[in-house]
Amino acid sequence: MDDENETEDPKKPSLSREIKFMMYGFGDDPCPYTQSIALIEDIVLNYINEISLSALNMGKKGKITVEDILHLIRHDTKKYGRAKELLISNDEIKKARKGFEEDKYHF
């Protein structure tokens, strides 16, 4: 990696801000080293890329489904449990919003 003239690729997602806050939330310094943030970001993006490519190769051609991701992480109980928890929460939020919108228009 060339640090002298390194420019941000506009297509490459940047998670550095979120990673910085997460590191602080988990007990790191409020201003962690930029190299630490870059390393964690690289690890996270590589993991997302690997999971996405694996999911793309196993399901329907050209499509990634939630079930594909769940299938790939099924042996990691922490990730699988957290993913299921987030999916359930997402469904509950959708139902609550739908109920709120229905109540809003039907006094």
Side-chain angles (χ1 to χ4, degrees):
M1 192 184 270
D2 185 19
D3 289 337
E4 289 182 24
N5 290 326
E6 190 174 51
T7 57
E8 287 282 327
D9 183 3
K11 295 179 184 176
K12 182 180 177 190
S14 177
L15 303 173
S16 56
R17 183 171 180 252
E18 290 80 6
I19 289 172
K20 178 181 175 182
F21 291 138
M22 288 176 72
M23 289 173 70
Y24 179 62
F26 283 106
D28 204 335
D29 192 75
C31 295
Y33 292 126
T34 54
Q35 296 90 347
S36 299
I37 296 170
L39 176 64
I40 293 172
E41 182 178 28
D42 188 44
I43 292 168
V44 168
L45 291 176
N46 283 335
Y47 177 77
I48 292 171
N49 191 26
E50 287 176 16
I51 290 289
S52 299
L53 288 174
S54 296
L56 194 60
N57 291 331
M58 69 177 286
K60 294 180 182 177
K61 281 285 187 198
K63 260 191 162 177
I64 297 176
T65 64
V66 173
E67 289 77 21
D68 295 336
I69 302 294
L70 290 175
H71 179 76
L72 289 170
I73 63 171
R74 70 188 182 279
H75 296 298
D76 188 333
T77 55
K78 284 186 180 182
K79 287 179 190 165
Y80 184 81
R82 181 68 174 143
K84 291 294 280 185
E85 180 183 317
L86 290 171
L87 289 169
I88 291 167
S89 296
N90 191 39
D91 286 342
E92 290 173 355
I93 290 169
K94 283 181 183 178
K95 288 177 186 175
R97 282 186 183 154
K98 186 176 180 181
F100 179 73
E101 287 175 5
E102 288 175 0
D103 288 345
K104 182 179 175 182
Y105 296 113
H106 296 96
F107 290 95

